[in-house]
Every structure is written in structure tokens, then in C-alpha cells.
Amino acid sequence: MTPPEISRRTLLELLVGTGVFVTVTGCSDETAPDDQVDTPPVSAASDETLVATTDDDAAPATAGAGEVQPLRLRLWAEPTTAEIVAGVTTPVYSFGAEVLEGDPASITPSGSYLGPTLHLQTGQRVQVEFENRIDDECIVHWHGLVVPEDQDGQPGEAVGPGASYNYDFTVINDPGTYWYHPHPHGRTGEQVYRGLAGMIVIADTDGNLPDGDNDLALVLQDRTIGSDGELRYATTRHDTMAGFAGDTLVANGVADFEISVRREPYRIRLLNGANSRTQYLTWSSGATVHVVATDGNLLPETVSVDGVVITPAQRSDLWIDFSTFEPGQRVQLLAADTFVESGSPSGLTLDARTAATFVIEDTDPMPGTAPTTLGRPPAFGPDDAVNRDAPKQFILSTRRAAHWINDTQWQGRAVTDVETVKANTVELWEFVNQSPLPHPMHLHGEAFRIVSRTWDDDRLADAWATISHGVIETGLRDTVLVWPGQRVQIAARFADHLGYFLYHCHILEHEDAGMMRNFLVT
Ligand code: C2O
Ligand code: CU
Ligand code: CU
């Protein structure tokens, strides 16, 4: 069976349907900040743009036996400029931070518009004084961290320009790769696109993966920069309906990202920080892609594949041994779009572009082998679900120029029966994608297991078959790709934080347009 050719035009028609097209966001270039004249520019592309994830000098910040030193930060969002393309000054938004109390190595600058990497520890008390210095409402969400409702950075907590929000929570997540980004309703896509995002790394203390300088973080995004140096964002109906994709791939905030690496094994923490692109990543050398962690959770065992699929908001930590390459060799991480609207009858066009380049240094080769066993297997599964025999259904659809979940959209704190859950229970949820677009669905709170994928409509099954080997679901995830025509069942455990939490599509234009709801933990 061949997938139908969905042209840009027919897709738009599908999306628009018969209804009136709703303008979902007021984004235009006029919304670019205009008070950035005096703010210092962010440095240009160089090896320094590497987001260092660990610091050798930073001894574990322990205040005593088993005790973790608390951290108090000031974090702000501000308009500034950055050099995304070498030699071009681009107005951006950026997170900045300052350690008020605790280990100064808890933040490391990104060297680009991205916010500093926050190095947190399991068990650590974290206080953040967030200051909104942009001309728009804003709030910060710690994607993947399990925190109480009022610490989660939800749209209802957004504060206006000049206002602050104080966070105070304890990190209960395991070591892993997380991130932070704004979450004001209707404004998330544009704010992330203009630069508001950063990594959170909870370092392993006793892992068997490369650490120190051999532990890198790579944030993958895309941007369109006009000849005037300004970022272009979602200017057409198609952009807001299909999700906005920039024409230039950027890594760690710069185009043509390069980093030199020693001939040793590395851990590379990948975050897809793009607004809408789901990508299929491979090594230019044809080397096997070894995946060791997904969305903050070590896999039970390393998964070795030809390529890996990463949706917006997902993380995939890779293990790679650069000792197998020659000094001076350039090894590229290649990225191909996974969903091509005007695809050939044979399915996907896996036309790969360079996402990042690793230049092999002239060092003594120190070969390693990928660890086989990593984390513990997930502690819960479908058999633990309280609704084992009756999974809850969440129908994803696209009609009347909008995306829907169970025929509803964002309604603040209104919840339906299926959106009401009990603390400390496991439930089976089934996302049924009846829309013509893939949707990466994210739940706030604890990461979940993916139980099954079945087809209701297999017209896009051939296209899926070209990438399915790269969809890694043997561990926990907090964001799951739901392909058109598929029914994806997850087993989710709801933590003991009571209250309202979000679930939504992480294509930010879909989220902003209302493909986001709350669930209530009682
Ligand atoms: Cu990345 Cu609602 O989150
Ligand atoms: Cu989240
Ligand atoms: Cu979506």
C-alpha cells in the first residue's frame, strides 16, 4: 500500500476544512523586541558554543553525607541579540541566570541565545526567582521534572512584563537530560522560537557512560532568518496549522555548528528543541546509532539502530566512539524530515541535511565499547493499570482549521471524566490520531511507557515503515510520536502531586492553538 501524496495545498484544504479559518496567534515580525539596543550580544559560532554538560572542577556539591547542597538562582528572560548565522546580528529572546546560593558551576553558559545549562542533582532543593524582562507574558516550565502544580510553570501562572515568579521545589527525578522553556498560553511557540529554551542535566554519579568533557549536549532547532537578520516566524496559515519549520538547521543556537572531539567514546545528549520538525538522525559515516537514554530516562539496555527518530521535546542520549575515525575527519550528524507532505508515492523523502559536525582531533585513540545494560527496567507496566481492560481514549483530530483532543481544546482548568485520575495509580491512555498530521503528545509529570502501536488507518504505514526502527520505546518517555492513522497506547503513572497538569501536542503551534488540556490528579 502506498501512502497518498499529500500536497501542501491538499493538506491545507484538509486542515481548513469547511469552517472559517481561525487566526490562532498574532505573531508577526512586528512583535520583535525593540528595546535591545544596549543589551550585550551573545557570542558567535565557535567551539565555545558547545553546551558543556559537566564540569570536571565541579566536585559533587554535597553538604554532608548523602546531603545535596541547595541551589538558589535568579533566572530571567530578556531581549538581546545573537549571531545565529556567522556575521549576522539577530534580535532574540534569551534566558540568563545567576547563582545566588549554591555551587557556581550549577549553571554553564550556552554561548548562544539558548539559556544556560542548569546542572541539578537528585534530591536537591532548587529555588528560582524568575524575572520576566520581555514585553510579553511568560512563565518557565521544567520539561520532564516531576514537581507540584504551582512549580510546573503552567499557563495560568504566567506573569506579565516586569513581574516575577518564585519557584521552590525539590528534584525527585533520576539523573538524565531535561529542559526548560516558556509555557504562556498561545505564546509558547513564538517565545521558544525567539530563543527561550535551555537544557537541564541531572548528572549520573555512578553511571557507566562517558562523563566530564566527554558528556556533550546538543540542542537541535531550525530558524528562518531574513536578509535583515530578523527571525521570521509563522506568517502563513499553513505555518500555524502544520507547525512552523525554519529553513536553516541550527545546533546549540548556531547554524553550521562544529565541535572538535577527541578519539574517545562520548555521550551526546540530544534535545529536539524545534517547534515542529520531527527528525530522523543518522551518522554521515554510516556508523551505528547507539541510544542509551530517552526523555531523561536511561534505557534498560543500549539500543543500536541505523538512525533515530526524535520529535519536538524528545531527548535521545547517544553513545558514540570517535576513536574509530581518523584525525581531521569530519563526522556529521545528519537530520532528515520524517513527514513530507508532498512526498513521493514511495513514502518519505529522507533527504538528510547536516545538523552538526564533529571534527576528529589528533589524539591517541582510546576505544571503548557501548555499555549493554544501563538503567533499571520501568517500575510499572500495563498490567498495573487500574483500567487494564478499558483504556481511556483521546481522539486527535483536525477540522475546522483547528486541532482537537476528544473534540475539545484548551479550556483552562475544565476537565472531563477521562481527564480525571487518581494519584499513585497507573492508567492506560490511548491516543488515536484521526488527523492527517503526526502529533508528538506530551504529559507533564512522570514519564510513561509506550505499550502498543496499532493502525486504524494504514494509508501512511509504508511511510512509517521507513522510520519505525528509529522509534525507541523500550524505556520511559514523556513525549510520544502519534503517527496519522495510529492508535498508541501508553501506561502512565500519576505521581502523588495533586492538582492540574497539562498534556498537549508538543508541536508548539498546535499547543498554542489549543491542542492542550489539563488532567486533574485527585
Ligand atoms: Cu515541554 Cu507542556 O511542555
Ligand atoms: Cu512538560
Ligand atoms: Cu500536533
Side-chain angles (χ1 to χ4, degrees):
M1 166 161 295
T2 53
E5 181 172 311
I6 304 177
S7 72
R8 206 173 172 83
R9 173 128 182 234
T10 55
L11 175 66
L12 189 58
E13 282 162 358
L14 273 167
L15 296 172
V16 175
T18 53
V20 177
F21 207 101
V22 185
T23 305
V24 287
T25 54
C27 336
S28 73
D29 292 316
E30 280 78 65
T31 56
D34 48 15
D35 56 335
Q36 56 224 188
V37 186
D38 301 326
T39 50
V42 167
S43 71
S46 73
D47 278 358
E48 274 77 60
T49 57
L50 166 72
V51 180
T53 58
T54 55
D55 185 333
D56 281 340
D57 306 328
T62 46
E67 228 183 276
V68 183
Q69 195 186 349
L71 177 65
R72 199 158 64 81
L73 291 178
R74 176 172 295 129
L75 178 75
W76 58 89
E78 66 179 358
T80 180
T81 58
E83 209 176 307
I84 300 171
V85 170
V88 178
T89 301
T90 297
V92 295
Y93 289 155
S94 188
F95 281 122
E98 177 189 352
V99 174
L100 301 173
E101 212 181 293
D103 184 355
S106 301
I107 57 175
T108 48
S110 72
S112 73
Y113 61 74
L114 291 168
T117 297
L118 310 183
H119 305 271
L120 307 182
Q121 293 176 264
T122 306
Q124 188 172 38
R125 179 179 180 190
V126 178
Q127 290 168 282
V128 180
E129 299 170 15
F130 169 64
E131 295 177 5
N132 178 7
R133 302 181 189 168
I134 64 169
D135 195 17
D136 197 359
E137 58 165 6
C138 195
I139 192 71
V140 184
H141 168 58
W142 322 102
H143 183 120
L145 297 190
V146 180
V147 293
E149 181 195 81
D150 61 354
Q151 302 299 310
D152 198 33
Q154 303 187 3
E157 314 285 7
V159 295
S164 307
Y165 192 91
N166 290 332
Y167 297 86
D168 186 351
F169 60 85
T170 299
V171 176
I172 62 170
N173 288 68
D174 285 337
T177 309
Y178 306 89
W179 65 302
Y180 60 103
H181 63 74
H183 222 308
H185 182 51
R187 307 294 303 144
T188 300
E190 179 164 6
Q191 290 185 9
V192 170
Y193 183 75
R194 294 203 181 280
L196 296 180
M199 296 287 284
I200 298 173
V201 172
I202 306 177
D204 306 70
T205 44
D206 56 355
N208 51 358
L209 289 165
D211 57 11
D213 290 346
N214 292 26
D215 180 347
L216 310 179
L218 200 59
V219 181
L220 306 176
Q221 296 177 310
D222 51 53
R223 296 292 181 266
T224 299
I225 297 167
S227 50
D228 53 1
E230 303 260 345
L231 288 167
R232 295 276 179 274
Y233 179 66
T235 50
T236 68
R237 289 172 173 186
H238 183 273
D239 290 337
T240 50
M241 288 312 298
F244 182 73
D247 59 13
T248 303
L249 297 185
V250 298
N252 288 353
V254 296
D256 303 316
F257 175 84
E258 276 191 30
I259 170 94
S260 51
V261 289
R262 290 181 306 280
R263 299 173 72 202
E264 297 167 12
Y266 278 72
R267 175 183 189 161
I268 301 176
R269 301 172 188 263
L270 296 176
L271 159 67
N272 183 345
N275 283 42
S276 80
R277 268 180 208 280
T278 290
Q279 298 201 293
Y280 178 79
L281 305 172
T282 52
W283 291 113
S284 59
S285 62
T288 299
V289 176
H290 301 286
V291 185
V292 295
T294 53
D295 295 2
N297 302 275
L298 286 174
L299 294 174
E301 289 174 6
T302 300
V303 175
S304 301
V305 283
D306 291 340
V308 66
V309 172
I310 188 163
T311 75
Q314 283 187 336
R315 286 85 68 209
S316 280
D317 295 21
L318 308 185
W319 181 95
I320 180 160
D321 184 359
F322 288 118
S323 78
T324 61
F325 301 104
E326 295 306 314
Q329 207 178 326
R330 299 167 66 82
V331 181
Q332 275 108 9
L333 184 68
L334 302 177
D337 286 329
T338 55
F339 187 79
V340 180
E341 295 158 31
S342 50
S344 65
S346 62
L348 299 178
T349 309
L350 290 175
D351 229 355
R353 292 192 282 167
T354 299
T357 301
F358 298 82
V359 184
I360 311 299
E361 286 176 26
D362 192 359
T363 60
D364 290 336
M366 294 177 49
T369 45
T372 46
T373 54
L374 298 157
R376 25 172 213 274
F380 61 93
D383 291 343
D384 302 313
V386 293
N387 62 337
R388 263 175 71 169
D389 304 317
K392 288 180 172 177
Q393 292 204 355
F394 297 83
I395 312 273
L396 313 178
S397 64
T398 296
R399 59 197 163 72
R400 299 210 316 273
H403 305 291
W404 306 79
I405 302 172
N406 282 344
D407 293 327
T408 57
Q409 287 193 322
W410 175 248
Q411 285 183 307
R413 290 187 159 173
V415 289
T416 60
D417 280 354
V418 292
E419 292 167 330
T420 306
V421 302
K422 287 245 172 304
N424 285 311
T425 61
V426 175
E427 288 197 358
L428 291 183
W429 283 24
E430 216 168 62
F431 292 113
V432 184
N433 190 351
Q434 297 179 350
S435 113
L437 292 170
H439 299 285
M441 298 302 294
H442 167 53
L443 269 65
H444 286 215
E446 278 195 46
F448 48 78
R449 286 186 74 170
I450 290 100
V451 176
S452 65
R453 273 176 193 280
T454 51
W455 294 99
D456 279 359
D457 172 353
D458 66 357
R459 274 180 297 168
L460 287 173
D462 287 358
W464 174 255
T466 62
I467 57 163
S468 57
H469 61 272
V471 177
I472 312 300
E473 299 178 336
T474 52
L476 295 164
R477 281 217 171 269
D478 60 39
T479 305
V480 63
L481 177 58
V482 188
W483 196 254
Q486 276 182 351
R487 180 179 288 261
V488 177
Q489 199 177 91
I490 65 168
R493 185 172 67 184
F494 299 95
D496 55 7
H497 294 310
L498 304 184
Y500 292 89
F501 292 90
L502 302 167
Y503 71 103
H504 57 89
C505 177
H506 223 291
I507 290 179
L508 298 180
E509 291 71 30
H510 294 182
E511 171 187 330
D512 281 343
M515 200 179 195
M516 170 162 74
R517 299 276 305 172
N518 273 294
F519 58 86
L520 173 63
V521 183
T522 59

